[in-house]
Amino acid sequence: MFTPISSQTSLKSYLIKSQAYLSLLIFLVCVVGMTAIAAHTFKKYSEYNLQLIAKALSEQLQAAVVFEDKRAVDETLALFIEKYPLESIQVIDSNEQQISYINDAAKHNFYSPIFETIQSWIISDQAGNTNITHNGQIIAKIKVINSIFPLMTFLKQFLILFSISVVFALMLIAFSTRLIYRKISYSLDTLTETTESVTAHRDFDQRVPLGHIAEFNLISQSFNALLDEIQTWHTHLQQENSHLEHRALHDILTQLPNRAYFNQKLTHLFENRDSHEQFALLYIDNNNFKEINDTHGHLFGDAVLREMAIRLKLALRPDDFLARIGGDEFAVLLFNINKPIYAMTVAQNLLHVSDTPLQIENRTIQFSFSIGITLSSNAKSVEDLIHQADQAMYQAKLSDVQKLSIYDHQSIY
Amino acid sequence: MSWWKSYFSQSILLSSIGLIPFHYAQANTVNANHLVSGILSYVTWPSHLNQINFCVVDGTPNFISANIFSPTPQIIQPPNVKFFNYTAEQLLKPIASNPATHCQVFYFVQTSDTTQQQIINRNPLRILTISENNPECSIGSSFCIYMSKKQYKFKVNLDSLKTSQVRVSSKVLLLSQQQEEQE
């Protein structure tokens, strides 16, 4: 991951912040709205309820007031204050003389003044007032005052429900923020991952997968197009490179590995050699190449070399390494040669390659070569090995019987 | 007037033994005006009626004042009540010679409950009957005013009320029942 620079704001925190501001705004609007609606509903219901109680009371009290039965009035009031959430009831006759008054002191507590104040804001004073009428005459007035208990209960429930809603809303907001962030983050992450992977492994085959967000998909597509371009260019470059590499390591005439390649291979092989697995190095030199060149010209010389390369290649095992290391000099690396006799056998096979003369442009050209052999177990270094092979080859050249010599340090020194 | 006498005699008697309760001294307990006007107010009179003829039988009312209907309390509909005075003998006469057929209310002062019943049987229906002298209230008047614990109260004779076919609000009946339960 690219670590974000500290002064930059991360997308996630930006998203969360913006969502938080938005949520707070909505929340405040909801709080104001909900409180207003709740207060209004509470007011309407309370006033309606109070009026209803007052009306019912006036019906109940009518006869008692008409017959001036104070006891019946008192009892009815006691019954009502016990049954309904009322703080006090007052009955006044038409001459403003109090007939009866009752209040419930038990419904008072420490917080009463606060709630009474709130209640006085919400509920109209007139809500609990009504007249007792009889045959169209106002015979008395009733004033009913609501208890604060309904308000307390209402506020309690309102606060609880409100808190639950707030917690729920916050959870929803957090969830939705996370969801949105995840979608955006998916697009960004795939882009980042692909970029990193391409950078780290030069794996231009990769493409950014498409996500859910159109804008990011556009970026991804552009990036993919860029990757396409880079890949094409990269492939072309690689081909060019391998071509150049091939040319650097191969001989143009015979298409065999050249001296540089041979040296590289030999060094590698020698450095990683195994005590159980030896290899043999063969030096092959054409005996009469200068003569052929002089007699038939360079073109013929080249043709001889090409033919020689083909024949030698065919006479070898597919794994063996044949290289042209000089004008008419070839070198062979034979693998898995544990005994000199094996190398000798291979070398003898190679000598038979020159049994058939070359037929080039209806000319028969005789040719022959000498082979010097050495085994990797004899040498202490690559130079040593090359030197030994060279020595053996000169030895073979000097021999008249068999143009083949295996390096043996005793025979040299 | 006799109700004054009655009031004074009672007051003197009670004060002599030191038992005048506070509320009894209040003006609203000295007579049963509010009971009578209350009962009248809860009766549904025929709509064409514009005057209630209040016929006092056998004497002067003791429980209500003479000026109870002057002016007539507005709760009574129609708000126009007029006093008449008759005797039981007059009301027991056959319809033809009965001078009290115009009455809407019979207010019995001293008439016995059996005589009350006879009068009710002899006279037309739809007459509200109230008595001062019928504490049992088992026969005779529909409404019986009486004195209990220094307060005027009333009982309702439901059979009599039903027979009379006078329409009275159930509130009155409930209140009278309530009063009886309190005792």
Side-chain angles (χ1 to χ4, degrees), chain B residues 14-61:
Chain B
L14 290 166
S15 18
S16 65
I17 52 171
L19 273 175
I20 293 185
F22 173 70
H23 67 266
Y24 193 71
Q26 287 178 331
N28 59 353
T29 54
V30 296
N31 55 47
N33 286 359
H34 57 279
L35 291 188
V36 174
S37 56
I39 291 165
L40 290 183
S41 78
Y42 279 109
V43 174
T44 313
W45 302 105
S47 53
H48 57 80
L49 193 75
N50 45 33
Q51 181 181 294
I52 298 165
N53 297 321
F54 193 94
C55 303
V56 180
V57 184
D58 289 340
T60 317

Side-chain angles (χ1 to χ4, degrees), chain A residues 110-121:
Chain A
F110 178 74
Y111 301 105
S112 295
I114 306 164
F115 288 106
E116 274 165 10
T117 314
I118 298 172
Q119 182 145 290
S120 70
W121 292 339

Side-chain angles (χ1 to χ4, degrees), chain A residues 62 67-69 134-135 137, chain B residues 28 34 41-42 75 171:
Chain A
Q62 192 198 52
F67 290 104
E68 295 179 16
D69 190 342
H134 181 44
N135 286 344
Q137 297 297 305
Chain B
N28 59 353
H34 57 279
S41 78
Y42 279 109
I75 54 170
K171 286 178 190 169

